[in-house]
Amino acid sequence: METVRNDGRSAEEMRPLVFHPGVAPQALASVLVSFGNTQVICAVSVEDNVPGWMKAQEVKGGWLTAEYSMLPYSTATRKKRSSNGKVDGRAVEIQRLIGRALRAVVDLEALGERTVWVDCDVLQADGGTRTASISGAAVALQMAFRRMVREGVLRSNPMRQLVSAVSVGKVGGMALLDLCYTEDSAAEVDMNVVLTERGEYVELQGSGEEATFTPEQLAQMLELAHSGALQILAAQRAALSE
Amino acid sequence: METVRNDGRSAEEMRPLVFHPGVAPQALASVLVSFGNTQVICAVSVEDNVPGWMKAQEVKGGWLTAEYSMLPYSTATRKKRSSNGKVDGRAVEIQRLIGRALRAVVDLEALGERTVWVDCDVLQADGGTRTASISGAAVALQMAFRRMVREGVLRSNPMRQLVSAVSVGKVGGMALLDLCYTEDSAAEVDMNVVLTERGEYVELQGSGEEATFTPEQLAQMLELAHSGALQILAAQRAALSE
Amino acid sequence: METVRNDGRSAEEMRPLVFHPGVAPQALASVLVSFGNTQVICAVSVEDNVPGWMKAQEVKGGWLTAEYSMLPYSTATRKKRSSNGKVDGRAVEIQRLIGRALRAVVDLEALGERTVWVDCDVLQADGGTRTASISGAAVALQMAFRRMVREGVLRSNPMRQLVSAVSVGKVGGMALLDLCYTEDSAAEVDMNVVLTERGEYVELQGSGEEATFTPEQLAQMLELAHSGALQILAAQRAALSE
Amino acid sequence: METVRNDGRSAEEMRPLVFHPGVAPQALASVLVSFGNTQVICAVSVEDNVPGWMKAQEVKGGWLTAEYSMLPYSTATRKKRSSNGKVDGRAVEIQRLIGRALRAVVDLEALGERTVWVDCDVLQADGGTRTASISGAAVALQMAFRRMVREGVLRSNPMRQLVSAVSVGKVGGMALLDLCYTEDSAAEVDMNVVLTERGEYVELQGSGEEATFTPEQLAQMLELAHSGALQILAAQRAALSE
Amino acid sequence: METVRNDGRSAEEMRPLVFHPGVAPQALASVLVSFGNTQVICAVSVEDNVPGWMKAQEVKGGWLTAEYSMLPYSTATRKKRSSNGKVDGRAVEIQRLIGRALRAVVDLEALGERTVWVDCDVLQADGGTRTASISGAAVALQMAFRRMVREGVLRSNPMRQLVSAVSVGKVGGMALLDLCYTEDSAAEVDMNVVLTERGEYVELQGSGEEATFTPEQLAQMLELAHSGALQILAAQRAALSE
Amino acid sequence: METVRNDGRSAEEMRPLVFHPGVAPQALASVLVSFGNTQVICAVSVEDNVPGWMKAQEVKGGWLTAEYSMLPYSTATRKKRSSNGKVDGRAVEIQRLIGRALRAVVDLEALGERTVWVDCDVLQADGGTRTASISGAAVALQMAFRRMVREGVLRSNPMRQLVSAVSVGKVGGMALLDLCYTEDSAAEVDMNVVLTERGEYVELQGSGEEATFTPEQLAQMLELAHSGALQILAAQRAALSE
């Protein structure tokens, strides 16, 4: 028997994936990525210096860092802008994840003394904003590096391979791929997996806040994740070959 | 003799005006407004309560407030996100202007005990972001109120008329309409004018940081502003009648 | 028929103007300015360096910046001190206005690598604190520059001319000069005008929060503003010639 | 051939585990936990109210939240205290993990309208501070709940089972259990696993910042994690039965 | 042999004392106090509620709290305004001292459910700003309470007696009364003493940052303090009887 | 008749004093000090640079600064961690006192261009946390300097003598030494005295928030303080000679 999801998808099916380049023309490169109704602006900027701690520790090469934010009108109930030092713990956690995921496939030393900023601003939130952010940012980053090579700023592209990220979860006892908001709210287990083009893991974050999961369920969810990553990768490659 | 501007416009000509509705589907109403290369996301949300000071002072009716921000990738050099209580004085000034401009044409008492949030996030900055914000926000606000009436939340539309905003300036001694960034940087006088559909003033802010201006130059700039407002008004009406 | 205002003034009459120098003896120069019951301490200090952005952009010369604050006991209801990153938007707007107004008449390049700080602290608030601040600060600034020339720090006075600022408004349909607090609270239109000694505009800020204004009303208010500026100028010159 | 680690351990061996209760006598319950040289004070406090969002959303029952901090003298180079809104992203991430891990085994509804605070302050840091924190906090939490039952505050113990947490990593191509600081600094892959008494997963966080990992390596690390969890569990039970 | 101080005073002589009432007309009561060149605005305001902790702990009566700040132009080198959460430790210490000193002579329960705010803003700093603040604030507070009694807000004056505060120090081995800035900078021991009209101690703060002091020197300094307090008390009474 | 205190002590008796070294092994030196139930972790760290103001003013030598905090679980009711710029005035006051007390007995110039950090974190609070902090920090500091001499970092020990600190108070009209929390809460007068080995004063802070004290009472309390200091000194010396 087939799983019937609200939007008619099967358990192992991604939502429609769109990578729309050029949404922020002042950025070095930008992509508006959609995973169904989830939409994120991913933009890449470059600065010609490195963070203070790199200078202090005399680390060679460059740095890549990410910032993630939800625009106030991205959710059904307006989300206050963070300010006055009030920390948005979830956003901090997500932007650290995005940064680590991308640094894993970039040769930072080859960047030279530069900082790459990856901004991910959620325009519409319907579950999976962090996985859409990483997947979209990987495309924007690849575009940015290609441009830097084309413009003679870099001798070769420091990005070793693409990464894609996908969410999987256990909802009502069933493993589902790419959860939308209503599924995510009802999930017993929520897992985000970042994978390289070669199918290796970059990040794996599984969490059962109101439940736990067995090794068998883990295996099942990881299988779904690999299948989802292949779907995303195809869409990323298509966007990059246009 | 004709003025020749970089982009081929005459002195009294607006840049191409586009009001693209629906850019942020979770908002009550939203518009992506373009004044040439300047692009701003304008989105309207509503909350069912009012600020503390209104309750304390027992003011009847509702409130309308605006927030303005430049996305980090909206400028050629990446703009840091404001946080940690570091005040962005320019943004504070602009969001206060947007709020006042819109409140002037809205019957706040008719709103009921509600707060209307108007968010303006600049996606691409090329001069005139505050005037594009006000002009786009007026359209989004009108759409939001129409929807609230349609859905039975409000009995009648509390917006008395449209407002539009336009920048004029004195560049190299000449009065120009709707300055782009390079013109704005070189301007001796910079003026922003908010006008109603009936051609009355809502706000008038003229500033000569490195120069002053005579009553004659003021008159000339105000004339340009009225002409620009008519052009914007036509585009606003067209967007609202679609 | 004559307008009868609460304090017996005619529509085009300023409140009593006093410029009392030397109120803060540690400052380079200081003035306690009174526009009727509105009293502001204006003090000028100088530092031998310039802001970081000027060094970064290699801008020559100096800078002038203003800070405005209302002392907690300047209003009938005690005003909390701003702290903890809570932004006082109105104060930010006013101090930016004061800074721009003064920079318009100062030759910043002639200042040398220095920052001039103009502090305006309101001791008693009864309407028109921003116009009193600008008018008083102009006198204190002129005194400070004269002292710097006298003491051999500057070769010549970098202040090209005086500025004065005045508020005008539409109250109950009538145009009034120099509004006190009760008039200001009832005003339909509120306008602040900064003028040079030669009668040219430096800043013009008109705002109709609950109403709009016609070109005719604008003309009438500007006429009042010019007349008020002449009265202030006379008092400023008298204070400077003592 | 045996792995030889700096401290003489085999690859699948935990450092000496100590759970010393009562270190903070004012707390409801407290434990000083040691994983080798890593020492963390874990203390539990209870407040008779719940966070604002629970009241707003009318969620029944209680809440559990954690705070994690490194004491300034816990590291070889003194660590500045966080203040002034400067966010310590790593600490935010860790305290969110601790909170989720414990909430997964606690029946929040059975808590009643209470907030349980779990504070983890690192006294000495030598790798694995987050896994020591979770493992120690689980013991302190169990002690606190037993005391609340004993004192008649709770009818039954809301903690369904113990949790333990363990780090595993890939260092120089080899999978190692419970990494100390020098191993952690050299690790290509770093994984933290939170497991229940029944051997089910609560949290799984694997990260390869400069490298990626294959499904085979994942399987190998998970196996080590299960073995480590059993060692911790034995020590936790011993501490609780004293 | 007589001590010769820079300003010609003897060791046991206060600087000229002036208590000028009414400097801030919007306050309930205000005094501009001068201890020689040190000038402080002391102003009293009253709010009809009490701090949250009093309500929570169901403490009866009212509260009195003080805020101390140095105006930016009160010192030879401009002092930055405190903002953005940057703590001015010295100011915190001083305002806590002012609050304690005044609460010691006020019957808080007789105040009713009110908070008395005492603001002390230094206009010119030349040593002894905290003692001038306390001495001036005591006069302003007495005036405020008398007015509240006169206006029927309070049935009787809750201030039991006056307080005065005085600094004494050991400079070059000699005990001196009421140190000015240059003396204070050179002092080996710095002591601030708050005394009641009856000659009892309210606060005693002695500090030898680069030196220590013997019981004999303490006795000598306390004697000077009592003599200074009598001089201040006479001036306070004179101001209050005007 | 003998005073009977809750814990059976006489009026002039200290609580049991323990100085337990090595509690924080990563610090240069550390001591867990107990005054009865009051327990404070005192740890010393050294950095090879000095604060910005010392460089700016070209002050020779080094600096010593202290930070004081109460761990959240040190009090019966959990104490919130300070963050987001919310100032804990009491903690600021205490850490400034600790810093001054220690600087009085250290030859800062002999330190070289170094900053000594003294961290005092209260593990259990039962009155007298500031006096325990100073007394414990003096021991840790002495240990740190001996180690620096031993390791050849300093040529000679820059600490001229030990300091100890003790609280005395007037409770129910009687002078008591070393107040515990319940005594402190009931005290009419609270005094903290910092004394050198030679019996000279370093700091003296007496405060009567709801009462005042006479010269006779001051003398009596100072006598108690000297006796308490001798008891502490003996315990400090014992700890240092182990």
Side-chain angles (χ1 to χ4, degrees), chain A residues 53 57, chain D residues 5-7 9 15 35-39 68 70 74-79 90 122 124-132 167-171 176-190 192, chain F residues 26:
Chain A
W53 63 263
Q57 297 175 26
Chain D
R5 296 166 78 172
N6 278 350
D7 52 7
R9 282 188 289 156
R15 291 175 287 180
F35 276 31
N37 287 329
T38 289
Q39 289 194 306
Y68 167 96
M70 295 179 73
S74 62
T75 46
T77 306
R78 184 178 181 275
K79 194 175 181 309
R90 178 182 163 277
V122 179
Q124 191 178 5
D126 186 28
T129 64
R130 78 188 76 188
T131 52
S167 79
V168 283
K170 210 177 78 180
V171 186
L176 298 181
L177 179 64
D178 187 28
L179 281 58
C180 68
Y181 178 72
T182 49
E183 290 170 341
D184 194 52
S185 306
E188 297 107 44
V189 180
D190 183 24
N192 293 287
Chain F
Q26 295 270 34

Side-chain angles (χ1 to χ4, degrees), chain B residues 65-87:
Chain B
T65 189
E67 296 201 346
Y68 167 96
S69 116
M70 294 180 73
L71 289 164
Y73 34 83
S74 62
T75 47
T77 306
R78 184 177 180 275
K79 194 175 182 309
K80 276 193 166 37
R81 290 171 198 268
S82 79
S83 60
N84 292 350
K86 189 99 189 274
V87 178

